[in-house]
Amino acid sequence: MSRRAVVIGAGLAGMLAAAVLSTAGVDEVIVLDRDELPEGPEHRRGLPQGRHAHLLMAGGMDAMEELVPGVSLRKRLLAAGAHEISLSSGMLALTPEGWLRRWKREGPVMLTCSRALVDWAVRTAVLEQTSVEVRRATAVGLTGSARGVTGVRIAAPGGDTDIEADLVVDASGRGTRVVTWLDGLGVSGVRERTVDSGLVNATRVFRIPDGAERFPLTIVQADPFVSRPGRSAMVMPIEGDRWMVSCGGTRGGEPPADPEGFLRYTLDLPDPIVGRLISGAEPLTDVHLSRSTSNVRRYLEKAPRWPERFVVLGDALGTFNPAYGQGMSVAAFGAQVLGRELARGGPTAPGLARRVLRGAARSVDAAWSMAVGQDVLYPEVRGGRPSVADRVVTAYTRRMMKAATGSYAAACAIWDVTSMRTPPTRMFRPSAVLAAVAGSPLPPSTEPPLTPRERELLRGLDRTGA
Ligand SMILES: Cc1cc2nc3c(=O)[nH]c(=O)nc-3n(C[C@H](O)[C@H](O)[C@H](O)COP(=O)(O)OP(=O)(O)OC[C@H]3O[C@@H](n4cnc5c(N)ncnc54)[C@H](O)[C@@H]3O)c2cc1C
Protein backbone atom coordinates (compact mmCIF):
# COMPACT_ATOMS: atom_id res chain seq x y z
CA MET A 1 0.00 0.00 0.00
CA SER A 2 1.27 3.46 -0.92
CA ARG A 3 2.12 5.67 2.08
CA ARG A 4 2.07 9.46 2.23
CA ALA A 5 3.57 11.80 4.83
CA VAL A 6 2.85 15.50 5.04
CA VAL A 7 5.32 17.82 6.79
CA ILE A 8 4.21 21.33 7.82
CA GLY A 9 7.13 23.75 7.41
CA ALA A 10 10.15 23.69 5.09
CA GLY A 11 12.59 25.05 7.67
CA LEU A 12 15.33 22.86 9.10
CA ALA A 13 13.21 20.52 11.20
CA GLY A 14 10.78 20.05 8.30
CA MET A 15 13.33 19.36 5.56
CA LEU A 16 15.38 17.03 7.77
CA ALA A 17 12.24 15.12 8.79
CA ALA A 18 11.27 14.89 5.10
CA ALA A 19 14.70 13.48 4.24
CA VAL A 20 14.30 10.80 6.90
CA LEU A 21 10.75 9.91 5.82
CA SER A 22 11.74 9.59 2.16
CA THR A 23 14.40 7.01 3.00
CA ALA A 24 12.21 5.07 5.43
CA GLY A 25 9.61 3.47 3.23
CA VAL A 26 7.27 6.43 2.76
CA ASP A 27 6.35 6.62 -0.95
CA GLU A 28 5.24 10.24 -1.07
CA VAL A 29 6.57 13.03 1.16
CA ILE A 30 4.97 16.46 0.76
CA VAL A 31 6.39 19.47 2.60
CA LEU A 32 4.08 22.48 2.96
CA ASP A 33 5.37 25.98 3.51
CA ARG A 34 3.48 29.23 3.57
CA ASP A 35 6.51 31.05 2.15
CA GLU A 36 7.71 31.43 -1.40
CA LEU A 37 11.03 29.60 -1.03
CA PRO A 38 13.93 31.49 -2.65
CA GLU A 39 16.07 29.92 -5.39
CA GLY A 40 19.29 30.85 -3.61
CA PRO A 41 20.54 31.44 -0.06
CA GLU A 42 18.35 34.47 0.54
CA HIS A 43 16.45 35.79 3.51
CA ARG A 44 12.70 35.03 3.57
CA ARG A 45 9.71 36.27 5.56
CA GLY A 46 8.86 32.92 7.16
CA LEU A 47 12.29 32.82 8.85
CA PRO A 48 12.57 36.23 10.52
CA GLN A 49 15.35 34.89 12.78
CA GLY A 50 17.48 34.49 9.64
CA ARG A 51 18.56 38.13 10.00
CA HIS A 52 20.46 37.16 13.16
CA ALA A 53 23.62 35.23 13.94
CA HIS A 54 23.25 31.44 13.83
CA LEU A 55 26.06 29.21 15.12
CA LEU A 56 25.83 25.64 13.89
CA MET A 57 27.35 23.39 16.54
CA ALA A 58 29.36 20.28 15.64
CA GLY A 59 26.74 17.93 17.12
CA GLY A 60 24.04 19.44 14.91
CA MET A 61 26.30 19.37 11.84
CA ASP A 62 27.09 15.68 12.42
CA ALA A 63 23.38 14.90 12.73
CA MET A 64 22.57 16.77 9.51
CA GLU A 65 25.34 14.92 7.67
CA GLU A 66 23.81 11.65 8.78
CA LEU A 67 20.25 12.68 7.91
CA VAL A 68 20.75 13.91 4.36
CA PRO A 69 21.91 11.04 2.19
CA GLY A 70 24.40 11.17 -0.65
CA VAL A 71 26.11 14.52 -0.02
CA SER A 72 28.33 16.15 2.58
CA LEU A 73 26.43 19.18 3.80
CA ARG A 74 29.48 20.35 5.68
CA LYS A 75 31.58 20.41 2.53
CA ARG A 76 28.80 22.20 0.65
CA LEU A 77 28.50 24.87 3.31
CA LEU A 78 32.27 25.39 3.39
CA ALA A 79 32.38 25.56 -0.43
CA ALA A 80 29.67 28.23 -0.30
CA GLY A 81 31.77 30.35 2.05
CA ALA A 82 30.84 29.12 5.55
CA HIS A 83 33.62 29.27 8.17
CA GLU A 84 34.72 26.43 10.41
CA ILE A 85 35.71 27.86 13.79
CA SER A 86 37.74 25.92 16.30
CA LEU A 87 36.36 26.46 19.80
CA SER A 88 39.85 25.96 21.25
CA SER A 89 41.90 28.26 19.01
CA GLY A 90 39.64 30.25 16.69
CA MET A 91 37.65 32.26 19.17
CA LEU A 92 38.13 35.26 21.45
CA ALA A 93 35.60 34.88 24.24
CA LEU A 94 35.15 37.07 27.28
CA THR A 95 33.07 35.07 29.76
CA PRO A 96 31.71 36.36 33.09
CA GLU A 97 34.80 34.71 34.62
CA GLY A 98 37.38 36.28 32.30
CA TRP A 99 38.91 35.71 28.87
CA LEU A 100 39.15 32.11 27.73
CA ARG A 101 42.65 31.10 26.79
CA ARG A 102 43.35 30.06 23.19
CA TRP A 103 45.04 26.69 22.88
CA LYS A 104 47.33 25.37 20.18
CA ARG A 105 45.63 21.97 20.43
CA GLU A 106 42.55 21.54 18.22
CA GLY A 107 39.12 21.22 19.83
CA PRO A 108 35.59 20.81 18.49
CA VAL A 109 34.44 23.14 15.74
CA MET A 110 31.33 25.07 14.83
CA LEU A 111 30.18 26.43 11.50
CA THR A 112 29.29 30.05 10.90
CA CYS A 113 27.40 31.40 7.89
CA SER A 114 24.06 33.08 7.30
CA ARG A 115 20.99 31.16 8.37
CA ALA A 116 19.71 31.54 4.80
CA LEU A 117 22.73 29.56 3.57
CA VAL A 118 22.14 26.69 6.03
CA ASP A 119 18.49 26.45 5.03
CA TRP A 120 19.18 26.65 1.33
CA ALA A 121 21.98 24.03 1.51
CA VAL A 122 19.79 21.60 3.45
CA ARG A 123 16.71 22.19 1.29
CA THR A 124 18.51 21.82 -2.05
CA ALA A 125 20.39 18.72 -0.90
CA VAL A 126 17.16 17.04 0.27
CA LEU A 127 15.35 17.93 -2.94
CA GLU A 128 18.26 16.65 -5.07
CA GLN A 129 18.74 13.39 -3.22
CA THR A 130 15.13 12.37 -2.58
CA SER A 131 11.69 12.56 -4.22
CA VAL A 132 10.38 14.97 -1.55
CA GLU A 133 7.96 17.56 -2.97
CA VAL A 134 7.63 21.09 -1.54
CA ARG A 135 4.31 22.91 -2.00
CA ARG A 136 3.41 26.46 -1.14
CA ALA A 137 0.47 26.22 1.27
CA THR A 138 -0.49 27.40 4.75
CA ALA A 139 -1.63 24.72 7.16
CA VAL A 140 -4.64 25.82 9.23
CA GLY A 141 -5.52 22.62 11.06
CA LEU A 142 -5.40 18.87 11.29
CA THR A 143 -8.02 16.33 10.22
CA GLY A 144 -8.93 13.19 12.12
CA SER A 145 -9.76 12.74 15.77
CA ALA A 146 -8.16 12.51 19.20
CA ARG A 147 -7.35 8.88 18.37
CA GLY A 148 -5.46 9.57 15.16
CA VAL A 149 -4.59 12.29 12.68
CA THR A 150 -5.58 11.62 9.08
CA GLY A 151 -4.28 14.71 7.30
CA VAL A 152 -3.71 18.45 7.17
CA ARG A 153 -6.18 21.25 6.42
CA ILE A 154 -4.75 24.00 4.24
CA ALA A 155 -6.03 27.45 3.39
CA ALA A 156 -7.15 27.81 -0.22
CA PRO A 157 -8.79 30.72 -2.09
CA GLY A 158 -12.16 28.98 -2.53
CA GLY A 159 -12.23 27.55 1.03
CA ASP A 160 -9.99 25.24 3.07
CA THR A 161 -9.02 21.88 1.56
CA ASP A 162 -7.67 18.71 3.14
CA ILE A 163 -4.64 16.59 2.24
CA GLU A 164 -4.79 13.03 3.52
CA ALA A 165 -1.71 11.53 5.10
CA ASP A 166 -0.56 8.40 6.90
CA LEU A 167 1.78 10.51 9.02
CA VAL A 168 1.80 14.25 9.70
CA VAL A 169 4.82 16.16 11.08
CA ASP A 170 4.39 19.65 12.48
CA ALA A 171 7.66 21.50 11.94
CA SER A 172 6.11 24.96 11.66
CA GLY A 173 8.49 26.51 14.16
CA ARG A 174 8.15 28.90 17.05
CA GLY A 175 4.78 30.25 15.91
CA THR A 176 3.12 26.82 15.61
CA ARG A 177 -0.62 26.64 16.23
CA VAL A 178 -0.31 23.04 17.38
CA VAL A 179 -2.11 23.49 20.70
CA THR A 180 -5.15 25.03 18.96
CA TRP A 181 -5.06 22.35 16.26
CA LEU A 182 -4.99 19.61 18.89
CA ASP A 183 -7.87 21.29 20.66
CA GLY A 184 -9.82 21.07 17.40
CA LEU A 185 -9.33 17.28 17.53
CA GLY A 186 -10.46 17.10 21.16
CA VAL A 187 -6.93 16.76 22.61
CA SER A 188 -6.56 19.17 25.49
CA GLY A 189 -4.44 19.47 28.61
CA VAL A 190 -1.12 20.28 26.95
CA ARG A 191 1.05 22.07 29.49
CA GLU A 192 3.08 25.01 28.20
CA ARG A 193 5.77 27.05 29.93
CA THR A 194 7.37 30.33 28.89
CA VAL A 195 10.47 31.80 30.51
CA ASP A 196 11.14 35.22 29.09
CA SER A 197 14.20 37.30 29.98
CA GLY A 198 13.02 40.01 27.58
CA LEU A 199 16.04 39.41 25.38
CA VAL A 200 16.28 41.62 22.30
CA ASN A 201 18.72 40.79 19.53
CA ALA A 202 20.08 43.54 17.28
CA THR A 203 22.10 42.54 14.23
CA ARG A 204 23.96 44.39 11.50
CA VAL A 205 26.11 43.02 8.69
CA PHE A 206 29.44 44.63 7.75
CA ARG A 207 32.01 44.03 5.05
CA ILE A 208 35.11 42.45 6.62
CA PRO A 209 37.82 45.11 6.52
CA ASP A 210 40.84 44.30 4.36
CA GLY A 211 43.34 42.16 6.22
CA ALA A 212 40.83 41.07 8.91
CA GLU A 213 39.50 38.04 7.01
CA ARG A 214 41.10 35.63 9.47
CA PHE A 215 40.43 37.60 12.64
CA PRO A 216 38.92 35.19 15.23
CA LEU A 217 35.22 35.06 15.98
CA THR A 218 34.86 37.49 18.88
CA ILE A 219 32.29 37.31 21.64
CA VAL A 220 31.67 39.28 24.80
CA GLN A 221 29.23 37.17 26.78
CA ALA A 222 26.40 38.35 29.01
CA ASP A 223 26.84 37.97 32.75
CA PRO A 224 23.84 36.42 34.50
CA PHE A 225 25.50 36.46 37.92
CA VAL A 226 25.49 40.15 38.79
CA SER A 227 21.75 40.96 39.13
CA ARG A 228 21.95 43.33 36.19
CA PRO A 229 20.48 42.97 32.68
CA GLY A 230 22.55 40.68 30.45
CA ARG A 231 24.36 42.46 27.60
CA SER A 232 26.47 40.77 24.95
CA ALA A 233 27.90 41.17 21.46
CA MET A 234 29.50 38.93 18.86
CA VAL A 235 31.36 39.39 15.59
CA MET A 236 30.87 36.31 13.46
CA PRO A 237 32.28 35.73 9.97
CA ILE A 238 29.76 34.62 7.34
CA GLU A 239 29.95 33.85 3.63
CA GLY A 240 30.70 36.65 1.18
CA ASP A 241 33.52 38.21 3.25
CA ARG A 242 31.03 39.64 5.72
CA TRP A 243 30.82 40.00 9.47
CA MET A 244 27.48 39.46 11.12
CA VAL A 245 27.49 41.46 14.33
CA SER A 246 24.81 40.59 16.87
CA CYS A 247 24.14 42.28 20.20
CA GLY A 248 21.78 40.81 22.78
CA GLY A 249 20.33 42.43 25.86
CA THR A 250 17.82 41.19 28.42
CA ARG A 251 15.01 43.35 29.88
CA GLY A 252 16.42 46.74 30.84
CA GLY A 253 19.59 46.23 28.77
CA GLU A 254 18.16 45.99 25.26
CA PRO A 255 20.34 47.08 22.33
CA PRO A 256 19.01 49.91 20.16
CA ALA A 257 18.20 49.85 16.44
CA ASP A 258 19.95 53.08 15.46
CA PRO A 259 23.48 52.69 14.08
CA GLU A 260 25.18 55.09 16.52
CA GLY A 261 23.42 53.51 19.50
CA PHE A 262 24.37 50.05 18.21
CA LEU A 263 28.06 50.97 18.10
CA ARG A 264 27.89 52.67 21.51
CA TYR A 265 26.28 49.53 22.96
CA THR A 266 29.21 47.37 21.83
CA LEU A 267 31.73 49.87 23.19
CA ASP A 268 30.03 50.04 26.60
CA LEU A 269 30.36 46.29 27.24
CA PRO A 270 32.95 45.08 29.81
CA ASP A 271 35.45 45.00 26.92
CA PRO A 272 35.02 47.32 23.91
CA ILE A 273 36.65 44.92 21.43
CA VAL A 274 33.54 44.39 19.28
CA GLY A 275 33.00 48.13 18.91
CA ARG A 276 36.67 48.71 18.14
CA LEU A 277 36.57 46.06 15.41
CA ILE A 278 33.51 47.49 13.64
CA SER A 279 34.07 51.20 14.30
CA GLY A 280 35.50 51.79 10.84
CA ALA A 281 33.90 48.86 8.99
CA GLU A 282 31.50 49.40 6.09
CA PRO A 283 27.91 48.50 7.08
CA LEU A 284 25.99 46.51 4.48
CA THR A 285 22.56 46.47 6.19
CA ASP A 286 20.49 48.39 8.70
CA VAL A 287 20.30 47.17 12.29
CA HIS A 288 17.57 44.49 12.54
CA LEU A 289 15.86 43.72 15.85
CA SER A 290 14.30 40.46 17.05
CA ARG A 291 12.19 40.07 20.18
CA SER A 292 11.18 36.44 19.47
CA THR A 293 13.66 35.02 21.88
CA SER A 294 11.78 33.64 24.88
CA ASN A 295 12.13 30.05 26.03
CA VAL A 296 8.87 28.25 25.25
CA ARG A 297 8.28 24.59 26.06
CA ARG A 298 5.21 22.68 24.98
CA TYR A 299 5.13 19.44 26.97
CA LEU A 300 3.36 17.55 24.19
CA GLU A 301 4.99 14.25 25.12
CA LYS A 302 3.24 14.50 28.50
CA ALA A 303 -0.27 15.17 27.12
CA PRO A 304 -2.78 12.77 28.70
CA ARG A 305 -3.83 11.54 25.24
CA TRP A 306 -1.94 11.71 21.97
CA PRO A 307 -3.29 11.04 18.48
CA GLU A 308 -1.55 8.37 16.42
CA ARG A 309 0.28 9.46 13.27
CA PHE A 310 1.10 12.99 14.45
CA VAL A 311 4.65 14.09 15.30
CA VAL A 312 5.94 17.54 16.34
CA LEU A 313 9.61 18.52 15.90
CA GLY A 314 11.97 21.49 16.11
CA ASP A 315 10.94 24.84 17.55
CA ALA A 316 7.31 23.71 17.61
CA LEU A 317 8.28 21.46 20.54
CA GLY A 318 10.52 23.94 22.35
CA THR A 319 12.45 27.14 21.72
CA PHE A 320 15.38 28.52 23.67
CA ASN A 321 17.20 31.77 24.24
CA PRO A 322 19.31 31.87 21.06
CA ALA A 323 22.46 32.98 22.91
CA TYR A 324 23.31 29.31 23.46
CA GLY A 325 23.17 28.38 19.75
CA GLN A 326 21.17 25.19 20.18
CA GLY A 327 17.92 25.33 18.15
CA MET A 328 19.16 24.08 14.77
CA SER A 329 21.00 21.17 16.37
CA VAL A 330 17.96 20.23 18.45
CA ALA A 331 15.85 20.24 15.25
CA ALA A 332 18.33 17.79 13.69
CA PHE A 333 18.38 15.53 16.78
CA GLY A 334 14.57 15.33 16.66
CA ALA A 335 14.70 14.19 13.02
CA GLN A 336 17.23 11.52 14.03
CA VAL A 337 14.79 10.19 16.63
CA LEU A 338 12.08 10.05 13.95
CA GLY A 339 14.49 8.12 11.72
CA ARG A 340 15.23 5.56 14.45
CA GLU A 341 11.56 4.99 15.20
CA LEU A 342 10.69 4.65 11.49
CA ALA A 343 13.46 2.07 11.13
CA ARG A 344 11.95 0.05 14.00
CA GLY A 345 8.37 -0.25 12.83
CA GLY A 346 7.63 1.84 9.73
CA PRO A 347 5.53 5.00 9.50
CA THR A 348 2.28 3.54 10.79
CA ALA A 349 3.57 1.57 13.78
CA PRO A 350 1.21 1.99 16.76
CA GLY A 351 2.59 4.41 19.33
CA LEU A 352 5.28 5.78 16.95
CA ALA A 353 4.19 9.39 17.37
CA ARG A 354 4.35 9.30 21.16
CA ARG A 355 7.75 7.54 21.13
CA VAL A 356 9.19 10.13 18.74
CA LEU A 357 7.90 12.95 20.93
CA ARG A 358 9.42 11.40 24.03
CA GLY A 359 12.76 10.81 22.30
CA ALA A 360 12.89 14.29 20.77
CA ALA A 361 11.94 15.84 24.11
CA ARG A 362 15.19 14.56 25.66
CA SER A 363 17.41 16.87 23.60
CA VAL A 364 14.86 19.66 23.96
CA ASP A 365 15.08 19.29 27.74
CA ALA A 366 18.89 19.36 27.77
CA ALA A 367 18.91 22.58 25.75
CA TRP A 368 16.09 24.03 27.85
CA SER A 369 17.95 23.42 31.12
CA MET A 370 21.08 25.11 29.82
CA ALA A 371 19.21 28.19 28.57
CA VAL A 372 16.61 28.55 31.30
CA GLY A 373 19.03 27.75 34.14
CA GLN A 374 20.87 30.99 33.30
CA ASP A 375 17.94 33.08 32.03
CA VAL A 376 16.11 32.83 35.37
CA LEU A 377 19.01 34.71 36.99
CA TYR A 378 18.41 37.92 35.01
CA PRO A 379 16.41 40.71 36.63
CA GLU A 380 12.73 40.96 35.68
CA VAL A 381 12.63 37.57 34.01
CA ARG A 382 9.05 36.40 33.49
CA GLY A 383 7.84 32.86 34.06
CA GLY A 384 10.64 31.44 36.19
CA ARG A 385 12.67 31.85 39.35
CA PRO A 386 15.90 30.05 40.13
CA SER A 387 15.28 26.86 42.09
CA VAL A 388 17.77 25.46 44.59
CA ALA A 389 18.89 22.99 41.89
CA ASP A 390 19.40 25.87 39.42
CA ARG A 391 21.58 27.67 41.96
CA VAL A 392 23.69 24.59 42.66
CA VAL A 393 24.19 23.80 38.95
CA THR A 394 24.92 27.45 38.22
CA ALA A 395 27.51 27.70 40.99
CA TYR A 396 29.22 24.58 39.61
CA THR A 397 29.08 25.81 35.98
CA ARG A 398 30.57 29.10 37.09
CA ARG A 399 33.39 27.34 38.84
CA MET A 400 34.01 25.22 35.74
CA MET A 401 34.03 28.35 33.55
CA LYS A 402 36.51 30.04 35.88
CA ALA A 403 38.74 26.96 35.71
CA ALA A 404 38.37 26.94 31.90
CA THR A 405 40.04 30.35 31.63
CA GLY A 406 43.32 28.51 32.21
CA SER A 407 42.72 24.74 32.46
CA TYR A 408 42.62 22.64 29.28
CA ALA A 409 40.62 19.84 30.96
CA ALA A 410 37.93 22.27 32.13
CA ALA A 411 37.87 23.98 28.74
CA CYS A 412 37.42 20.58 27.03
CA ALA A 413 34.38 19.81 29.18
CA ILE A 414 32.81 23.14 28.27
CA TRP A 415 33.57 22.77 24.54
CA ASP A 416 32.13 19.25 24.44
CA VAL A 417 28.83 20.41 25.94
CA THR A 418 28.70 23.65 23.93
CA SER A 419 29.33 21.80 20.70
CA MET A 420 26.39 19.49 21.55
CA ARG A 421 28.41 16.37 20.84
CA THR A 422 27.96 15.17 24.38
CA PRO A 423 25.14 15.72 26.87
CA PRO A 424 25.52 18.22 29.74
CA THR A 425 26.28 15.31 32.10
CA ARG A 426 29.81 15.50 30.60
CA MET A 427 30.42 18.29 33.11
CA PHE A 428 30.09 15.77 35.93
CA ARG A 429 32.62 13.20 34.68
CA PRO A 430 35.47 12.68 37.15
CA SER A 431 38.04 14.47 34.94
CA ALA A 432 35.74 17.50 34.66
CA VAL A 433 34.91 17.57 38.37
CA LEU A 434 38.64 17.37 39.21
CA ALA A 435 39.38 20.23 36.81
CA ALA A 436 36.62 22.36 38.33
CA VAL A 437 37.84 21.68 41.86
CA ALA A 438 41.50 22.33 40.97
CA GLY A 439 40.62 25.63 39.24
CA SER A 440 42.77 27.48 36.74
CA PRO A 441 46.54 27.02 37.12
CA LEU A 442 47.02 30.45 35.52
CA PRO A 443 45.93 33.88 36.70
CA PRO A 444 42.92 35.29 34.79
CA SER A 445 43.81 37.40 31.77
CA THR A 446 42.38 40.91 31.71
CA GLU A 447 43.32 41.36 28.04
CA PRO A 448 41.95 39.46 25.03
CA PRO A 449 44.38 36.67 24.03
CA LEU A 450 45.44 38.24 20.71
CA THR A 451 48.50 37.34 18.69
CA PRO A 452 50.85 40.27 18.02
CA ARG A 453 49.53 40.45 14.43
CA GLU A 454 45.89 40.51 15.59
CA ARG A 455 46.69 43.22 18.16
CA GLU A 456 48.27 45.31 15.43
CA LEU A 457 45.28 44.72 13.14
CA LEU A 458 42.81 45.71 15.85
CA ARG A 459 44.73 48.92 16.47
CA GLY A 460 44.58 49.68 12.74
CA LEU A 461 40.83 49.04 12.53
CA ASP A 462 39.96 51.02 15.64
CA ARG A 463 38.39 54.42 14.88
CA THR A 464 37.24 55.05 18.45
CA GLY A 465 40.49 56.39 19.78
CA ALA A 466 40.29 53.86 22.65
C1 LIG B 1 17.48 35.63 17.03
C2 LIG B 1 17.68 34.14 16.94
C3 LIG B 1 18.97 33.62 16.84
C4 LIG B 1 19.16 32.23 16.80
N1 LIG B 1 20.45 31.73 16.78
C5 LIG B 1 20.65 30.39 16.74
C6 LIG B 1 21.97 29.85 16.73
O1 LIG B 1 22.98 30.56 16.85
N2 LIG B 1 22.11 28.49 16.61
C7 LIG B 1 21.03 27.66 16.54
O2 LIG B 1 21.23 26.44 16.42
N3 LIG B 1 19.78 28.14 16.58
C8 LIG B 1 19.55 29.48 16.68
N4 LIG B 1 18.27 29.97 16.71
C9 LIG B 1 17.15 29.01 16.72
C10 LIG B 1 16.81 28.53 15.31
O3 LIG B 1 16.49 29.62 14.48
C11 LIG B 1 15.60 27.58 15.41
O4 LIG B 1 15.79 26.69 16.45
C12 LIG B 1 15.39 26.78 14.13
O5 LIG B 1 15.05 27.67 13.11
C13 LIG B 1 14.26 25.75 14.30
O6 LIG B 1 13.92 25.21 13.07
P1 LIG B 1 12.42 24.81 12.73
O7 LIG B 1 12.50 24.14 11.43
O8 LIG B 1 11.80 24.13 13.88
O9 LIG B 1 11.62 26.18 12.58
P2 LIG B 1 11.81 27.32 11.51
O10 LIG B 1 13.19 27.30 11.01
O11 LIG B 1 11.28 28.56 12.13
O12 LIG B 1 10.87 26.89 10.28
C14 LIG B 1 9.49 26.89 10.34
C15 LIG B 1 8.93 26.87 8.91
O13 LIG B 1 7.51 26.66 8.96
C16 LIG B 1 6.87 27.53 8.04
N5 LIG B 1 5.50 27.69 8.55
C17 LIG B 1 5.13 28.27 9.72
N6 LIG B 1 3.79 28.17 9.88
C18 LIG B 1 3.31 27.50 8.80
C19 LIG B 1 2.02 27.07 8.42
N7 LIG B 1 0.95 27.30 9.18
N8 LIG B 1 1.89 26.41 7.24
C20 LIG B 1 2.99 26.16 6.46
N9 LIG B 1 4.22 26.55 6.79
C21 LIG B 1 4.39 27.19 7.95
C22 LIG B 1 7.74 28.77 8.05
O14 LIG B 1 7.55 29.53 6.87
C23 LIG B 1 9.13 28.17 8.15
O15 LIG B 1 9.64 27.88 6.88
C24 LIG B 1 18.05 31.34 16.79
C25 LIG B 1 16.75 31.88 16.88
C26 LIG B 1 16.57 33.25 16.97
C27 LIG B 1 15.15 33.78 17.09
Side-chain angles (χ1 to χ4, degrees):
M1 204 169 80
S2 172
R3 303 265 182 227
R4 176 194 282 162
V6 174
V7 179
I8 307 168
L12 277 180
M15 290 313 297
L16 294 170
V20 159
L21 286 159
S22 71
T23 51
V26 179
D27 309 277
E28 192 182 2
V29 182
I30 302 171
V31 183
L32 309 174
D33 205 288
R34 60 183 178 189
D35 244 5
E36 178 82 57
L37 299 174
E39 293 280 314
E42 287 144 37
H43 180 73
R44 63 184 174 91
R45 269 175 65 120
L47 278 187
Q49 70 268 42
R51 297 247 185 240
H52 300 276
H54 273 68
L55 304 166
L56 177 52
M57 297 303 171
M61 183 76 263
D62 293 348
M64 289 183 198
E65 291 262 272
E66 182 197 304
L67 289 163
V68 182
V71 290
S72 167
L73 276 172
R74 181 180 152 273
K75 283 190 187 149
R76 279 199 180 188
L77 286 168
L78 291 174
H83 298 249
E84 198 157 56
I85 311 278
S86 159
L87 300 189
S88 62
S89 59
M91 235 172 69
L92 292 170
L94 179 60
T95 74
E97 308 306 328
W99 286 98
L100 290 182
R101 229 184 121 177
R102 283 161 79 194
W103 301 85
K104 294 227 163 56
R105 287 173 269 186
E106 281 311 303
V109 292
M110 62 185 171
L111 247 71
T112 64
C113 60
S114 70
R115 171 60 198 264
L117 179 58
V118 179
D119 266 63
W120 173 80
V122 169
R123 191 169 68 245
T124 47
V126 173
L127 293 179
E128 262 169 37
Q129 302 293 323
T130 67
S131 56
V132 169
E133 179 196 342
V134 176
R135 281 189 204 168
R136 188 167 186 197
T138 301
V140 292
L142 302 168
T143 59
S145 68
R147 293 186 55 196
V149 164
T150 55
V152 178
R153 184 150 299 153
I154 57 172
D160 298 346
T161 57
D162 297 343
I163 310 181
E164 285 183 9
D166 300 287
L167 185 69
V168 173
V169 178
D170 176 21
S172 61
R174 180 177 279 269
T176 180
R177 308 265 298 144
V178 65
V179 174
T180 313
W181 295 346
L182 286 166
D183 225 34
L185 298 180
V187 178
S188 55
V190 172
R191 196 161 66 83
E192 289 180 81
R193 187 177 169 208
T194 300
V195 178
D196 180 9
S197 67
L199 179 75
V200 173
N201 270 103
T203 302
R204 193 172 202 199
V205 176
F206 295 82
R207 191 182 307 288
I208 300 185
D210 284 345
E213 295 80 7
R214 298 174 66 82
F215 199 87
L217 182 145
T218 301
I219 178 161
V220 178
Q221 292 179 356
D223 188 347
F225 310 117
V226 285
S227 303
R228 283 200 295 272
R231 298 160 91 245
S232 68
M234 173 169 71
V235 179
M236 176 185 109
I238 62 171
E239 74 278 9
D241 298 322
R242 294 173 296 164
W243 272 341
M244 188 172 253
V245 180
S246 265
C247 299
T250 64
R251 195 166 283 112
E254 300 89 341
D258 67 288
E260 292 77 31
F262 182 85
L263 177 61
R264 207 172 323 112
Y265 191 91
T266 59
L267 289 168
D268 287 346
L269 293 174
D271 192 290
I273 186 165
V274 169
R276 293 180 67 202
L277 278 171
I278 61 170
S279 54
E282 179 195 349
L284 300 175
T285 64
D286 292 336
V287 179
H288 291 283
L289 291 189
S290 166
R291 294 172 199 278
S292 305
T293 52
S294 51
N295 305 280
V296 180
R297 180 78 169 89
R298 299 177 186 89
Y299 293 93
L300 302 174
E301 76 285 2
K302 295 193 174 142
R305 294 181 75 189
W306 191 258
E308 294 281 3
R309 300 181 294 278
F310 181 52
V311 167
V312 182
L313 295 175
D315 273 16
L317 198 52
T319 60
F320 330 98
N321 175 338
Y324 309 97
Q326 308 178 99
M328 296 191 292
S329 299
V330 170
F333 298 153
Q336 280 184 313
V337 174
L338 174 64
R340 285 198 285 275
E341 286 301 330
L342 287 167
R344 278 176 56 182
T348 54
L352 171 130
R354 182 78 105 173
R355 285 195 298 278
V356 173
L357 281 179
R358 285 192 181 134
R362 279 197 272 279
S363 41
V364 172
D365 281 340
W368 172 272
S369 307
M370 199 193 280
V372 170
Q374 305 236 329
D375 275 8
V376 289
L377 303 176
Y378 289 114
E380 292 188 61
V381 63
R382 294 182 187 150
R385 293 164 63 84
S387 62
V388 175
D390 284 333
R391 289 198 189 278
V392 172
V393 171
T394 302
Y396 179 70
T397 313
R398 240 186 126 173
R399 192 174 177 119
M400 180 71 84
M401 187 59 88
K402 194 166 198 152
T405 57
S407 149
Y408 186 71
C412 282
I414 289 184
W415 299 328
D416 283 352
V417 176
T418 310
S419 68
M420 302 186 80
R421 269 197 169 139
T422 51
T425 48
R426 161 77 174 86
M427 298 272 240
F428 300 98
R429 278 194 207 154
S431 61
V433 174
L434 275 177
V437 171
S440 167
L442 302 166
S445 164
T446 50
E447 291 293 320
L450 295 162
T451 63
R453 195 186 160 272
E454 289 163 357
R455 192 165 298 116
E456 178 78 357
L457 192 58
L458 177 61
R459 221 175 285 128
L461 297 176
D462 190 350
R463 300 283 183 277
T464 66

